[in-house]
Amino acid sequence: MSSKNRRRTPWRAGMVAGAVTALMMAGTMVTGSAQAAAGCRVAYEVSSQWPGGFTANVNVTNLGDPINGWKLAWTFPSGQRVTQAWNATVTASGSQVTATNMSYNAAIGTNAAVSFGFNGSWTGSNTAPTSFTLNDVACTGGVGPSPTPSLSPTTSPSVTPTATPPPGNRMEMVAAMQPGWNLGNTLDAIPDETAWGNPLTTREMLRHIRAQGYRSIRLPITWSNHHGPAPDYTIDPTWLNRVREIVDWSLAEDLYVMINLHHDSWQWINSYPTDHTNVMSRYQALWSQLATAFRDHSAKLVFESINEPQFAGTSGDAESDQVLHELNLEFVRLVRRSGGANATRLLVLPTLHTSGEQARMDALLATFDELDDPNLVATIHFYGWWPFSVNIAGGTRYDSNVEQDIIGSFDRAYNTFVSRGIPVIIGEWALLSYDYTRPGIIQRGELLKFFEAVGHHARIRQLTTMLWDAGSFLHRPELRWRDQGIYELMKASLTTRSATASTDQIYVPRTGGITSRSLTLNLNGTSFQSLWHGGTRLTNGTDYTVSGSTLTLTRTAVTRLVGNRATGVNATIEARFTSGVPWQISIISYDPPTQTAANGTTSGLTIPTQFRGDQLATMEAEYADGSAAGPANWTTYKEFWSSFRPDYGANTIFLTPEFFAEVNDGAVTLTFHFWSGTQITYRLTKSGSTITGSPA
């Protein structure tokens, strides 16, 4: 399966067992002066729950005037208690709870949000709170003192428009598009907008994206199911009007907009080498109609010729480069001939496969040289070093391979294009297997290091980035970030560096003596300032020491933080630095995981696994002679999720039919690697379609 198809697989929304979500929307309050408009939306979500304990995330959106300093209060209906909190100071009096801002998240602009989380305890039931107050005033049903206008195509935008650089200054225009966001798996979905699980796009969603600091939006659009037959290939007017509506909403919300031909690239454009006349006619017909439809639109509307171009029937990439060259030439000349604003509109041209390889960039540069057009932009995509991006071949950590892949790709883009005054848009970026429905493939701390580095290395090379979001980052129905910490780190990377560390997890055995624990700080040009546990500042010398880049928690501090040493996360501490976002570190108690015997078939084997506070990092599979078993037989380390899938709620690890499809009959040794450092060996025997397994 190609990375493109893997990324475009229709996502299915997963529900965490026992999760409770309460959404309280809008309220009136007056703070500061009697004329201040105020209101809020609060999303309270129990993201995980276990006997006697739970983890909750709280997202607060300010719908009124900007505030500086906040206090959110609620009452637990079932007597729950907060045990540890992060990104807020939480105090309680009985069931009444108050969360107040930290120094770094006190300000909340209009339509901006702040998020915090906590671990809690419960007995009997864990009923979600149903009402909240922000700064002592209840959120009860509107933004005062005047009502909020409904969102419609004729509603004036609430944002202050930014100035558009004049045509001809393409470097400034592309810089003004930073950062960008993809409305992924939506208009590109097949056959229609909601077919891959995302809701209909609303103007409120686009307004939220702009309020969160994004300045451009890429609208991937698949046209193949929305036009008539040859020779006219007339676009369905209903579909075109829907696209136009979203384009116009986005422009009204002061976003730059990019539209393209998306999955058309592999549905029919890829046959261009062997079906030249028909493909070119269809390509010309679609872009002629789009150029005409949007001829008089704002210069903030940008056209991208083809998404991830690829071709069948060529002798290799060199010939495919030439094929793409022909299509890009026709695209530019056709759009320019259509006149109006299209005469100077920014046009975005991809490399073959939107690859960052030097040969592909050199081929695209030749196209730019031939066209000699001052309003062209280059685009590539970036999903990181492949073993890390999908967790295969032992690529579990952000290491020098991952770092050098970022630097090499971005250096090539800068040296080939930007240094010559040609701007570059990273039209899609993320990690291939980062997906909220498939948790654990990329460990969160390692993912944070990747996101921080991408932001930094793109910024210093003047590259504009557009996050690929098919629903894994923004929870569109509730307009909140699924992981506020990831968003905060990406936002910070636009202007500064954030420190990270060798890990964000400290595993402490549940039994036996407790010792001091150390980790290495990746300061990234910052300086360490302090260490916090909730609202308590830990004491240097007593609770921790810092020597160079080594942070050491003392035995006394570790003992206090693990508490009764119940398996799982016992505490979360936070290292703060002179710039950027804090680095959170989970203190985890665990026992070595255990497994028992299992029987199954090549349709799948479920191995009973007691994780006991630990989590799975990767799995190896070997035959008796030490050679690699299963798919990707060039490595013993199998691909996470494709070959094996942990289920922490069910206490199982599932070996997939895709794994067994490439396993020979006989004995196979599995080695499960856990994040605590624990390794477990498990023996399999395959005989035809029958699988038996037992601990070694």
Side-chain angles (χ1 to χ4, degrees), residues 31-72:
T31 58
S33 77
Q35 298 303 312
C40 68
R41 177 172 61 239
V42 178
Y44 175 99
E45 179 182 19
V46 174
S47 58
S48 62
Q49 181 171 304
W50 57 94
F54 67 101
T55 298
N57 296 307
V58 183
N59 184 277
V60 184
T61 301
N62 175 30
L63 303 177
D65 289 344
I67 59 176
N68 190 2
W70 52 267
K71 177 177 67 176
L72 188 76

mmCIF file of all heavy atoms in Angstrom, residues 31-72:
data_model
loop_
_atom_site.group_PDB
_atom_site.id
_atom_site.type_symbol
_atom_site.label_atom_id
_atom_site.label_comp_id
_atom_site.label_asym_id
_atom_site.label_seq_id
_atom_site.Cartn_x
_atom_site.Cartn_y
_atom_site.Cartn_z
ATOM 1 N N THR A 31 -17.045 41.207 32.255
ATOM 2 C CA THR A 31 -15.826 41.309 33.047
ATOM 3 C C THR A 31 -15.155 42.618 32.725
ATOM 4 O O THR A 31 -15.142 43.070 31.586
ATOM 5 C CB THR A 31 -14.858 40.157 32.723
ATOM 6 O OG1 THR A 31 -14.552 40.190 31.334
ATOM 7 C CG2 THR A 31 -15.462 38.815 33.059
ATOM 8 N N GLY A 32 -14.568 43.233 33.710
ATOM 9 C CA GLY A 32 -13.840 44.481 33.485
ATOM 10 C C GLY A 32 -14.780 45.660 33.443
ATOM 11 O O GLY A 32 -14.932 46.372 34.407
ATOM 12 N N SER A 33 -15.445 45.896 32.332
ATOM 13 C CA SER A 33 -16.388 47.001 32.209
ATOM 14 C C SER A 33 -17.740 46.461 31.824
ATOM 15 O O SER A 33 -17.878 45.357 31.333
ATOM 16 C CB SER A 33 -15.903 48.003 31.153
ATOM 17 O OG SER A 33 -16.158 47.507 29.861
ATOM 18 N N ALA A 34 -18.749 47.283 32.036
ATOM 19 C CA ALA A 34 -20.113 46.849 31.747
ATOM 20 C C ALA A 34 -20.347 46.657 30.274
ATOM 21 O O ALA A 34 -21.337 46.070 29.876
ATOM 22 C CB ALA A 34 -21.099 47.882 32.309
ATOM 23 N N GLN A 35 -19.439 47.161 29.431
ATOM 24 C CA GLN A 35 -19.633 47.041 27.995
ATOM 25 C C GLN A 35 -18.893 45.853 27.396
ATOM 26 O O GLN A 35 -18.977 45.631 26.196
ATOM 27 C CB GLN A 35 -19.162 48.335 27.312
ATOM 28 C CG GLN A 35 -19.952 49.571 27.733
ATOM 29 C CD GLN A 35 -21.436 49.411 27.476
ATOM 30 O OE1 GLN A 35 -21.832 49.003 26.386
ATOM 31 N NE2 GLN A 35 -22.258 49.738 28.464
ATOM 32 N N ALA A 36 -18.135 45.111 28.220
ATOM 33 C CA ALA A 36 -17.338 44.018 27.666
ATOM 34 C C ALA A 36 -18.233 42.864 27.246
ATOM 35 O O ALA A 36 -19.095 42.428 27.992
ATOM 36 C CB ALA A 36 -16.322 43.545 28.700
ATOM 37 N N ALA A 37 -18.017 42.380 26.022
ATOM 38 C CA ALA A 37 -18.742 41.198 25.553
ATOM 39 C C ALA A 37 -17.972 39.958 25.974
ATOM 40 O O ALA A 37 -16.749 39.918 25.888
ATOM 41 C CB ALA A 37 -18.891 41.243 24.036
ATOM 42 N N ALA A 38 -18.703 38.968 26.477
ATOM 43 C CA ALA A 38 -18.015 37.780 26.965
ATOM 44 C C ALA A 38 -18.885 36.555 26.761
ATOM 45 O O ALA A 38 -20.101 36.632 26.699
ATOM 46 C CB ALA A 38 -17.673 37.943 28.442
ATOM 47 N N GLY A 39 -18.250 35.426 26.677
ATOM 48 C CA GLY A 39 -18.946 34.158 26.519
ATOM 49 C C GLY A 39 -17.923 33.056 26.367
ATOM 50 O O GLY A 39 -16.746 33.330 26.148
ATOM 51 N N CYS A 40 -18.366 31.854 26.533
ATOM 52 C CA CYS A 40 -17.395 30.768 26.465
ATOM 53 C C CYS A 40 -18.043 29.492 25.976
ATOM 54 O O CYS A 40 -19.268 29.340 25.999
ATOM 55 C CB CYS A 40 -16.751 30.512 27.823
ATOM 56 S SG CYS A 40 -17.898 29.843 29.046
ATOM 57 N N ARG A 41 -17.180 28.578 25.521
ATOM 58 C CA ARG A 41 -17.580 27.206 25.222
ATOM 59 C C ARG A 41 -16.581 26.312 25.938
ATOM 60 O O ARG A 41 -15.368 26.511 25.834
ATOM 61 C CB ARG A 41 -17.551 26.952 23.715
ATOM 62 C CG ARG A 41 -17.888 25.516 23.348
ATOM 63 C CD ARG A 41 -18.034 25.332 21.833
ATOM 64 N NE ARG A 41 -16.810 25.647 21.130
ATOM 65 C CZ ARG A 41 -16.711 26.589 20.196
ATOM 66 N NH1 ARG A 41 -17.760 27.306 19.850
ATOM 67 N NH2 ARG A 41 -15.562 26.821 19.583
ATOM 68 N N VAL A 42 -17.088 25.329 26.665
ATOM 69 C CA VAL A 42 -16.233 24.424 27.423
ATOM 70 C C VAL A 42 -16.471 22.994 26.951
ATOM 71 O O VAL A 42 -17.611 22.530 26.913
ATOM 72 C CB VAL A 42 -16.502 24.519 28.944
ATOM 73 C CG1 VAL A 42 -15.624 23.528 29.700
ATOM 74 C CG2 VAL A 42 -16.261 25.938 29.442
ATOM 75 N N ALA A 43 -15.403 22.319 26.586
ATOM 76 C CA ALA A 43 -15.483 20.894 26.243
ATOM 77 C C ALA A 43 -14.742 20.109 27.321
ATOM 78 O O ALA A 43 -13.541 20.301 27.521
ATOM 79 C CB ALA A 43 -14.870 20.621 24.876
ATOM 80 N N TYR A 44 -15.482 19.277 28.040
ATOM 81 C CA TYR A 44 -14.920 18.446 29.116
ATOM 82 C C TYR A 44 -14.979 17.004 28.647
ATOM 83 O O TYR A 44 -16.058 16.486 28.359
ATOM 84 C CB TYR A 44 -15.747 18.638 30.387
ATOM 85 C CG TYR A 44 -15.356 17.758 31.561
ATOM 86 C CD1 TYR A 44 -14.556 18.255 32.583
ATOM 87 C CD2 TYR A 44 -15.814 16.451 31.663
ATOM 88 C CE1 TYR A 44 -14.212 17.457 33.668
ATOM 89 C CE2 TYR A 44 -15.473 15.644 32.733
ATOM 90 C CZ TYR A 44 -14.673 16.151 33.737
ATOM 91 O OH TYR A 44 -14.338 15.354 34.806
ATOM 92 N N GLU A 45 -13.814 16.361 28.561
ATOM 93 C CA GLU A 45 -13.773 15.009 28.028
ATOM 94 C C GLU A 45 -12.956 14.096 28.931
ATOM 95 O O GLU A 45 -11.814 14.415 29.284
ATOM 96 C CB GLU A 45 -13.159 14.992 26.623
ATOM 97 C CG GLU A 45 -13.065 13.596 26.033
ATOM 98 C CD GLU A 45 -12.408 13.579 24.671
ATOM 99 O OE1 GLU A 45 -11.719 14.562 24.335
ATOM 100 O OE2 GLU A 45 -12.563 12.587 23.958
ATOM 101 N N VAL A 46 -13.532 12.976 29.321
ATOM 102 C CA VAL A 46 -12.798 11.930 30.008
ATOM 103 C C VAL A 46 -12.162 11.061 28.927
ATOM 104 O O VAL A 46 -12.840 10.323 28.222
ATOM 105 C CB VAL A 46 -13.716 11.093 30.922
ATOM 106 C CG1 VAL A 46 -12.941 9.915 31.511
ATOM 107 C CG2 VAL A 46 -14.288 11.951 32.036
ATOM 108 N N SER A 47 -10.838 11.200 28.770
ATOM 109 C CA SER A 47 -10.161 10.509 27.671
ATOM 110 C C SER A 47 -9.803 9.076 28.018
ATOM 111 O O SER A 47 -9.596 8.255 27.124
ATOM 112 C CB SER A 47 -8.905 11.282 27.263
ATOM 113 O OG SER A 47 -8.038 11.432 28.368
ATOM 114 N N SER A 48 -9.679 8.769 29.304
ATOM 115 C CA SER A 48 -9.453 7.383 29.711
ATOM 116 C C SER A 48 -9.963 7.207 31.132
ATOM 117 O O SER A 48 -9.990 8.155 31.922
ATOM 118 C CB SER A 48 -7.975 7.003 29.618
ATOM 119 O OG SER A 48 -7.188 7.794 30.481
ATOM 120 N N GLN A 49 -10.373 5.995 31.453
ATOM 121 C CA GLN A 49 -10.955 5.710 32.759
ATOM 122 C C GLN A 49 -10.602 4.291 33.164
ATOM 123 O O GLN A 49 -10.538 3.393 32.332
ATOM 124 C CB GLN A 49 -12.480 5.874 32.709
ATOM 125 C CG GLN A 49 -13.188 5.623 34.040
ATOM 126 C CD GLN A 49 -14.654 6.007 33.985
ATOM 127 O OE1 GLN A 49 -14.984 7.140 33.652
ATOM 128 N NE2 GLN A 49 -15.521 5.070 34.299
ATOM 129 N N TRP A 50 -10.322 4.115 34.438
ATOM 130 C CA TRP A 50 -10.010 2.799 34.974
ATOM 131 C C TRP A 50 -10.634 2.725 36.367
ATOM 132 O O TRP A 50 -11.102 3.745 36.898
ATOM 133 C CB TRP A 50 -8.492 2.603 35.027
ATOM 134 C CG TRP A 50 -7.745 3.630 35.810
ATOM 135 C CD1 TRP A 50 -7.378 3.573 37.123
ATOM 136 C CD2 TRP A 50 -7.292 4.908 35.332
ATOM 137 N NE1 TRP A 50 -6.723 4.705 37.498
ATOM 138 C CE2 TRP A 50 -6.642 5.541 36.418
ATOM 139 C CE3 TRP A 50 -7.353 5.570 34.102
ATOM 140 C CZ2 TRP A 50 -6.085 6.816 36.308
ATOM 141 C CZ3 TRP A 50 -6.792 6.824 33.997
ATOM 142 C CH2 TRP A 50 -6.167 7.433 35.083
ATOM 143 N N PRO A 51 -10.694 1.554 36.988
ATOM 144 C CA PRO A 51 -11.321 1.440 38.312
ATOM 145 C C PRO A 51 -10.709 2.423 39.311
ATOM 146 O O PRO A 51 -9.527 2.333 39.650
ATOM 147 C CB PRO A 51 -11.052 -0.014 38.705
ATOM 148 C CG PRO A 51 -10.961 -0.740 37.411
ATOM 149 C CD PRO A 51 -10.293 0.221 36.477
ATOM 150 N N GLY A 52 -11.496 3.391 39.720
ATOM 151 C CA GLY A 52 -11.061 4.350 40.722
ATOM 152 C C GLY A 52 -10.334 5.560 40.191
ATOM 153 O O GLY A 52 -10.023 6.480 40.955
ATOM 154 N N GLY A 53 -10.029 5.611 38.886
ATOM 155 C CA GLY A 53 -9.276 6.737 38.357
ATOM 156 C C GLY A 53 -9.671 7.108 36.947
ATOM 157 O O GLY A 53 -10.327 6.337 36.243
ATOM 158 N N PHE A 54 -9.269 8.310 36.520
ATOM 159 C CA PHE A 54 -9.572 8.746 35.162
ATOM 160 C C PHE A 54 -8.660 9.906 34.785
ATOM 161 O O PHE A 54 -8.035 10.541 35.646
ATOM 162 C CB PHE A 54 -11.039 9.172 35.019
ATOM 163 C CG PHE A 54 -11.431 10.422 35.781
ATOM 164 C CD1 PHE A 54 -11.548 11.650 35.137
ATOM 165 C CD2 PHE A 54 -11.687 10.372 37.146
ATOM 166 C CE1 PHE A 54 -11.911 12.799 35.830
ATOM 167 C CE2 PHE A 54 -12.051 11.514 37.851
ATOM 168 C CZ PHE A 54 -12.168 12.734 37.195
ATOM 169 N N THR A 55 -8.551 10.148 33.485
ATOM 170 C CA THR A 55 -7.861 11.319 32.946
ATOM 171 C C THR A 55 -8.871 12.161 32.180
ATOM 172 O O THR A 55 -9.655 11.621 31.393
ATOM 173 C CB THR A 55 -6.713 10.912 32.004
ATOM 174 O OG1 THR A 55 -5.749 10.162 32.746
ATOM 175 C CG2 THR A 55 -6.033 12.136 31.401
ATOM 176 N N ALA A 56 -8.873 13.463 32.424
ATOM 177 C CA ALA A 56 -9.806 14.361 31.743
ATOM 178 C C ALA A 56 -9.055 15.499 31.077
ATOM 179 O O ALA A 56 -8.012 15.947 31.567
ATOM 180 C CB ALA A 56 -10.830 14.925 32.730
ATOM 181 N N ASN A 57 -9.588 15.949 29.958
ATOM 182 C CA ASN A 57 -9.080 17.123 29.252
ATOM 183 C C ASN A 57 -10.185 18.172 29.205
ATOM 184 O O ASN A 57 -11.353 17.845 28.941
ATOM 185 C CB ASN A 57 -8.649 16.765 27.829
ATOM 186 C CG ASN A 57 -7.492 15.788 27.816
ATOM 187 O OD1 ASN A 57 -6.470 16.016 28.452
ATOM 188 N ND2 ASN A 57 -7.646 14.686 27.108
ATOM 189 N N VAL A 58 -9.823 19.413 29.440
ATOM 190 C CA VAL A 58 -10.794 20.512 29.448
ATOM 191 C C VAL A 58 -10.315 21.577 28.460
ATOM 192 O O VAL A 58 -9.182 22.049 28.551
ATOM 193 C CB VAL A 58 -10.947 21.124 30.852
ATOM 194 C CG1 VAL A 58 -12.024 22.208 30.845
ATOM 195 C CG2 VAL A 58 -11.279 20.049 31.879
ATOM 196 N N ASN A 59 -11.164 21.922 27.511
ATOM 197 C CA ASN A 59 -10.844 22.931 26.509
ATOM 198 C C ASN A 59 -11.816 24.091 26.672
ATOM 199 O O ASN A 59 -13.035 23.904 26.646
ATOM 200 C CB ASN A 59 -10.950 22.330 25.101
ATOM 201 C CG ASN A 59 -10.519 23.316 24.029
ATOM 202 O OD1 ASN A 59 -11.303 24.148 23.603
ATOM 203 N ND2 ASN A 59 -9.275 23.212 23.592
ATOM 204 N N VAL A 60 -11.280 25.298 26.855
ATOM 205 C CA VAL A 60 -12.099 26.493 27.076
ATOM 206 C C VAL A 60 -11.902 27.441 25.902
ATOM 207 O O VAL A 60 -10.772 27.868 25.632
ATOM 208 C CB VAL A 60 -11.706 27.198 28.390
ATOM 209 C CG1 VAL A 60 -12.631 28.388 28.651
ATOM 210 C CG2 VAL A 60 -11.727 26.227 29.555
ATOM 211 N N THR A 61 -12.964 27.755 25.191
ATOM 212 C CA THR A 61 -12.910 28.714 24.086
ATOM 213 C C THR A 61 -13.569 30.011 24.525
ATOM 214 O O THR A 61 -14.710 30.015 25.004
ATOM 215 C CB THR A 61 -13.635 28.158 22.846
ATOM 216 O OG1 THR A 61 -13.016 26.935 22.449
ATOM 217 C CG2 THR A 61 -13.558 29.143 21.691
ATOM 218 N N ASN A 62 -12.859 31.109 24.378
ATOM 219 C CA ASN A 62 -13.377 32.422 24.722
ATOM 220 C C ASN A 62 -14.127 32.997 23.527
ATOM 221 O O ASN A 62 -13.528 33.281 22.496
ATOM 222 C CB ASN A 62 -12.230 33.350 25.124
ATOM 223 C CG ASN A 62 -12.704 34.769 25.388
ATOM 224 O OD1 ASN A 62 -13.842 34.977 25.803
ATOM 225 N ND2 ASN A 62 -11.830 35.737 25.147
ATOM 226 N N LEU A 63 -15.434 33.177 23.663
ATOM 227 C CA LEU A 63 -16.254 33.694 22.565
ATOM 228 C C LEU A 63 -16.446 35.205 22.629
ATOM 229 O O LEU A 63 -17.036 35.789 21.714
ATOM 230 C CB LEU A 63 -17.628 33.009 22.568
ATOM 231 C CG LEU A 63 -17.613 31.481 22.471
ATOM 232 C CD1 LEU A 63 -19.031 30.934 22.548
ATOM 233 C CD2 LEU A 63 -16.930 31.026 21.196
ATOM 234 N N GLY A 64 -15.992 35.824 23.707
ATOM 235 C CA GLY A 64 -16.196 37.257 23.870
ATOM 236 C C GLY A 64 -14.924 38.053 23.691
ATOM 237 O O GLY A 64 -14.017 37.656 22.964
ATOM 238 N N ASP A 65 -14.844 39.198 24.369
ATOM 239 C CA ASP A 65 -13.668 40.047 24.277
ATOM 240 C C ASP A 65 -12.454 39.332 24.860
ATOM 241 O O ASP A 65 -12.587 38.437 25.701
ATOM 242 C CB ASP A 65 -13.901 41.355 25.034
ATOM 243 C CG ASP A 65 -14.897 42.266 24.316
ATOM 244 O OD1 ASP A 65 -15.158 42.018 23.124
ATOM 245 O OD2 ASP A 65 -15.412 43.204 24.947
ATOM 246 N N PRO A 66 -11.244 39.714 24.434
ATOM 247 C CA PRO A 66 -10.038 39.079 24.981
ATOM 248 C C PRO A 66 -9.966 39.230 26.493
ATOM 249 O O PRO A 66 -10.383 40.250 27.065
ATOM 250 C CB PRO A 66 -8.895 39.833 24.291
ATOM 251 C CG PRO A 66 -9.499 40.372 23.028
ATOM 252 C CD PRO A 66 -10.923 40.706 23.376
ATOM 253 N N ILE A 67 -9.451 38.211 27.161
ATOM 254 C CA ILE A 67 -9.263 38.264 28.601
ATOM 255 C C ILE A 67 -7.805 37.947 28.905
ATOM 256 O O ILE A 67 -7.133 37.250 28.158
ATOM 257 C CB ILE A 67 -10.196 37.293 29.354
ATOM 258 C CG1 ILE A 67 -9.967 35.839 28.904
ATOM 259 C CG2 ILE A 67 -11.655 37.677 29.164
ATOM 260 C CD1 ILE A 67 -10.794 34.832 29.697
ATOM 261 N N ASN A 68 -7.332 38.486 30.012
ATOM 262 C CA ASN A 68 -5.963 38.225 30.461
ATOM 263 C C ASN A 68 -6.030 37.787 31.916
ATOM 264 O O ASN A 68 -6.168 38.609 32.817
ATOM 265 C CB ASN A 68 -5.097 39.469 30.297
ATOM 266 C CG ASN A 68 -3.621 39.158 30.513
ATOM 267 O OD1 ASN A 68 -3.255 38.020 30.746
ATOM 268 N ND2 ASN A 68 -2.793 40.186 30.440
ATOM 269 N N GLY A 69 -5.982 36.516 32.127
ATOM 270 C CA GLY A 69 -6.165 35.930 33.443
ATOM 271 C C GLY A 69 -7.523 35.269 33.525
ATOM 272 O O GLY A 69 -8.554 35.918 33.315
ATOM 273 N N TRP A 70 -7.550 33.966 33.788
ATOM 274 C CA TRP A 70 -8.824 33.258 33.797
ATOM 275 C C TRP A 70 -8.910 32.289 34.969
ATOM 276 O O TRP A 70 -7.894 31.829 35.506
ATOM 277 C CB TRP A 70 -9.067 32.515 32.481
ATOM 278 C CG TRP A 70 -7.955 31.605 32.044
ATOM 279 C CD1 TRP A 70 -6.916 31.911 31.220
ATOM 280 C CD2 TRP A 70 -7.767 30.222 32.421
ATOM 281 N NE1 TRP A 70 -6.087 30.828 31.044
ATOM 282 C CE2 TRP A 70 -6.580 29.781 31.769
ATOM 283 C CE3 TRP A 70 -8.462 29.325 33.226
ATOM 284 C CZ2 TRP A 70 -6.101 28.480 31.908
ATOM 285 C CZ3 TRP A 70 -7.992 28.034 33.370
ATOM 286 C CH2 TRP A 70 -6.822 27.615 32.717
ATOM 287 N N LYS A 71 -10.154 32.019 35.341
ATOM 288 C CA LYS A 71 -10.466 31.090 36.422
ATOM 289 C C LYS A 71 -11.724 30.321 36.016
ATOM 290 O O LYS A 71 -12.784 30.929 35.810
ATOM 291 C CB LYS A 71 -10.698 31.848 37.729
ATOM 292 C CG LYS A 71 -11.105 30.963 38.905
ATOM 293 C CD LYS A 71 -11.257 31.771 40.182
ATOM 294 C CE LYS A 71 -12.436 32.728 40.087
ATOM 295 N NZ LYS A 71 -12.676 33.465 41.355
ATOM 296 N N LEU A 72 -11.593 29.028 35.836
ATOM 297 C CA LEU A 72 -12.719 28.182 35.462
ATOM 298 C C LEU A 72 -13.127 27.365 36.677
ATOM 299 O O LEU A 72 -12.277 26.751 37.341
ATOM 300 C CB LEU A 72 -12.340 27.244 34.311
ATOM 301 C CG LEU A 72 -13.501 26.449 33.705
ATOM 302 C CD1 LEU A 72 -14.342 27.357 32.804
ATOM 303 C CD2 LEU A 72 -12.992 25.247 32.917
#
